[in-house]
Structures are given as structure tokens and as C-alpha cells.
Amino acid sequence: MSLMTIQHYLTRAQQQHAGATGELTLILNDIVTSCKRVAQAVNQGALLGTMGDLGSQNVQGEVQKALDVIANTIFLESNQASGLLAGMASEEMDDPYLMPEGVHGRYLLLFDPLDGSSNVNVNISVGSIFSVLRCPEGVVQPQLADFLQPGVQQVCAGYALYGSSTMLVITTGSGVDGFTLDHGTGEFMLTHPQMRIPDDSREFAINMSNQRHWPPAIKRYVDECVQGTSGPRGVDFNMRWVASMVAEVHRILLRGGIFMYPMDNKNAAQGGRLRLLYEANPMAMLVEQAGGLASTGRQRLLELVPHALHQRVSVILGSRHEVERVQDYFSAE
Ligand code: F6P
């Protein structure tokens, strides 16, 4: 089998895009480098002595792992050298990162450098998630408001999954392509071209321990799945919960399913659990580009107009017909 490297893939994509300057290609190359470096750090595990908590908290009040901070530094370092970004924002930093003097790029990069990091010291898959936006025309030093763009305006989105193999999955708006890291050569190779999510599925993912807090629509949907052949759906369902969004979305891209982290009575004060700009939006773009749907339950995720950098949101995404069903249950409430 002859496989294409991600560099060739990006060059081809640039050639097919009339008027492309090559800037986005270079930015994506730097993101690829960041992910390779994070993969190496994650893969070293306990050998690096970085598996523990730092004793500090990020802006969301979550305990930071040493690897969270290492991954954040890797992303900042790898992505500023090109001078093609106007700004960056991360789950791990309260405010947008100021680029060095004299750097005036045309794009903004938002990322969660190590998603699912509570899994890292038990050797379960974690990932990095990223989203690229255009810096508004004429803006030289982007302010917070410049990052608050709805997901439909994303130019590119993707994730790296540090699992049993390291994969990079990206979209630039023409479908979703997946690459596997060849650790021998250090190259990401195109192994999963044009990934598609099946419209139907019998697999759901939700943290069941929150059941008593859920809104009625989610209770009804999960109840019916759990009833299986003896309930209104008439078929048995399977459940998965890795507690690593990247791993759940990856599974859904490969074999379908639905992932739900709804707003519920426990997280309503924060607006939900997952972050809109660097978790939900990039995943929503990937899922839509692969033929699935991504919703809050009541509206299309990608159309939400953000009001804060670290805003949280209700997330229901995956196989089209299952997400539609959940949306119907919300409308019937
Ligand atoms: O920060 C987000 C995250 O780690 C996701 O990757 C994952 O889906 C979720 O949190 C897990 O949440 P919980 O610990 O409530 O199951």
C-alpha cells in the first residue's frame, strides 16, 4: 500500500485551493509538529516523571497535571516561530497569549493541549484539540473579542489522539482525513481518507453517574437505549465512556455512535461541562464534515455566538439520526 505523508497531503490541498498563499499549510505543519512533540511526552509516561498533579488549577478550577503544562508550552513554542499567527488561546491560560513584538499573522489558533488529562496517569488515551480562525481584517494585536467567533467561521479544526497508535484527524472544510504516526520515520501518513459517520448507530456515550441531574430529554433518550429490545427502540444498545472526548469522537468517526455531555442540574451554573471554543466547536466541525450532527440539544453548536473565551456548552454529537432524535426529545419538552 502506498501512503501519502501529511506534508504531501497539505501541499496538494493548497494547490487545489485557488488563491491559497501557503500560510495555512505552514500553520498546519507547525500544529503537526506540536502534536508529535506532545505524543512523545505522553508516550514517555512515568519515565519523564511528569505524571503527577502540579497542585495548581487552571482557569476552569481543574487540577493541572504536569503534562498539561508541558503540552501547553509545546503548542506555544511550536506555533509562534512562523510569525503567521496573530494570537493563540488555550484551555490552560486565562487570557489570550500575546505574540512577540512585530508578529502580525492573519490567523488565530485555539487549543486544548491535553484533553482528558485525568486519564494520563492510568495510561488511557488522551488527545490535543485545535481550531483555526481568521483574525478579523485590520486587527494587528487581537483582543479577547476577536477570538469569540462562532464555530461556522473555523477555517480548520482537528485533533491528535495519543492512543494505541498516535493519530491526527483534520478538516479544512472538505471532509475529514485521518493520519497515523509512523514512529519509525516520524511521519504522519494518510491512513483514513474521507472518514464518514454512519447515520444510524446503536452505541451511546455519556457519564451515567450524572443521570439524576440530566434534563428530561436526555433521561428519555438514554432510558430508551437501556431498555433495548424490550423498549420502544426495539434494539439493544451498547454503552462506552472513556472520559476522553478525543477518544469518544474518534470512535464515533470510525463506527458511529452518539456522545453526550449535556447541560444538567449539576453544571448548569457554568453552562455545561465542555468548552465551546477549543473542545466543542472543533469537534462539531469534524463531525459535521464527516456527515454527522453536533448540537446543544436545542441548536446547532457551530452557530452559537460565544461570549467568553472559556465558555462551556451542552454537547450532543455523532450519528445524524440519533442526534436528531435527541433534538426531537428536547423540542417535545
Ligand atoms: O475536559 C474535558 C474532558 O476530559 C473530556 O475529554 C471528557 O469527555 C470529559 O471531560 C470527561 O468528563 P467526566 O470526568 O465528567 O466523565
Side-chain angles (χ1 to χ4, degrees):
M1 179 168 49
S2 123
L3 295 174
M4 195 190 288
T5 66
I6 196 161
Q7 271 75 29
H8 289 147
Y9 166 91
L10 292 172
T11 309
R12 274 204 195 179
Q14 183 192 324
Q15 286 161 349
Q16 280 159 14
H17 203 282
T21 60
E23 285 174 56
L24 192 59
T25 308
L26 288 171
I27 290 170
L28 282 167
N29 267 317
D30 287 345
I31 294 172
V32 169
T33 305
S34 320
C35 296
K36 282 187 200 169
R37 290 182 60 194
V38 176
Q40 212 169 19
V42 168
N43 200 252
Q44 286 282 319
L47 296 175
L48 272 186
T50 51
M51 304 304 276
D53 294 345
L54 275 185
S56 55
Q57 292 190 343
N58 64 15
V59 64
Q60 345 272 335
E62 293 163 342
V63 174
Q64 282 181 308
K65 303 267 174 217
L67 266 180
D68 279 324
V69 174
I70 291 172
N72 195 55
T73 308
I74 289 174
F75 262 79
L76 293 177
E77 279 175 8
S78 307
N79 291 290
Q80 65 179 337
S82 70
L84 295 171
L85 289 174
M88 292 189 259
S90 155
E91 181 188 9
E92 301 303 331
M93 300 181 299
D94 301 13
D95 302 308
Y97 179 76
L98 292 180
M99 300 304 276
E101 195 78 23
V103 172
H104 307 301
R106 296 196 301 140
Y107 292 92
L108 303 172
L109 173 65
L110 295 94
F111 54 87
D112 179 352
L114 200 62
D115 184 66
S117 55
S118 66
N119 280 327
V120 86
N121 43 7
V122 286
N123 211 349
I124 291 175
S125 300
V126 289
S128 303
I129 312 175
F130 60 89
S131 161
V132 180
L133 296 168
R134 276 197 186 83
C135 186
E137 243 357 87
V139 170
V140 176
Q141 188 62 264
Q143 306 297 305
L144 173 61
D146 299 312
F147 288 83
L148 305 183
Q149 302 181 31
V152 281
Q153 293 181 17
Q154 292 172 106
V155 177
C156 169
Y159 62 77
L161 173 64
Y162 314 115
S164 44
S165 53
T166 296
M167 286 199 64
L168 190 72
V169 175
I170 60 173
T171 180
T172 51
S174 321
V176 176
D177 293 303
F179 303 81
T180 304
L181 183 63
D182 179 337
H183 286 279
T185 60
E187 296 276 13
F188 273 108
M189 309 301 293
L190 179 62
T191 47
H192 296 65
Q194 292 297 302
M195 299 166 88
R196 298 297 295 172
I197 300 177
D199 289 345
D200 297 293
S201 143
R202 292 178 190 174
E203 195 162 70
F204 66 97
I206 193 162
N207 183 339
M208 288 292 286
S209 71
N210 294 324
Q211 191 167 19
R212 68 192 185 283
H213 306 293
W214 293 341
I218 299 291
K219 275 195 179 138
R220 176 178 169 195
Y221 176 81
V222 174
D223 239 33
E224 291 180 359
C225 292
V226 173
Q227 284 176 56
T229 45
S230 33
R233 302 293 303 268
V235 284
D236 284 335
F237 278 74
N238 188 23
M239 197 205 86
R240 286 284 181 270
W241 188 250
V242 187
S244 237
M245 191 192 194
V246 177
E248 322 275 7
V249 170
H250 192 67
R251 184 185 61 247
I252 289 172
L253 280 167
L254 287 176
R255 66 177 192 216
I258 184 167
F259 168 89
M260 295 170 283
Y261 216 126
M263 192 191 316
D264 61 23
N265 290 332
K266 190 173 150 197
N267 62 37
Q270 292 84 45
R273 166 80 163 90
L274 301 175
R275 277 48 62 104
L276 174 61
L277 286 170
Y278 42 78
E279 288 182 321
N281 272 345
M283 292 311 201
M285 182 176 180
L286 287 163
V287 165
E288 282 200 3
Q289 283 292 319
L293 288 182
S295 167
T296 63
R298 298 189 183 277
Q299 79 174 104
R300 186 180 170 211
L301 255 168
L302 291 178
E303 286 175 1
L304 267 187
V305 180
H307 56 75
L309 189 58
H310 300 288
Q311 181 176 338
R312 296 181 189 245
V313 69
S314 176
V315 176
I316 291 137
L317 56 77
S319 289
R320 172 171 289 273
H321 294 159
E322 294 304 308
V323 176
E324 278 169 354
R325 179 179 285 268
V326 175
Q327 283 177 323
D328 288 348
Y329 291 178
F330 270 102
S331 323
E333 267 181 13

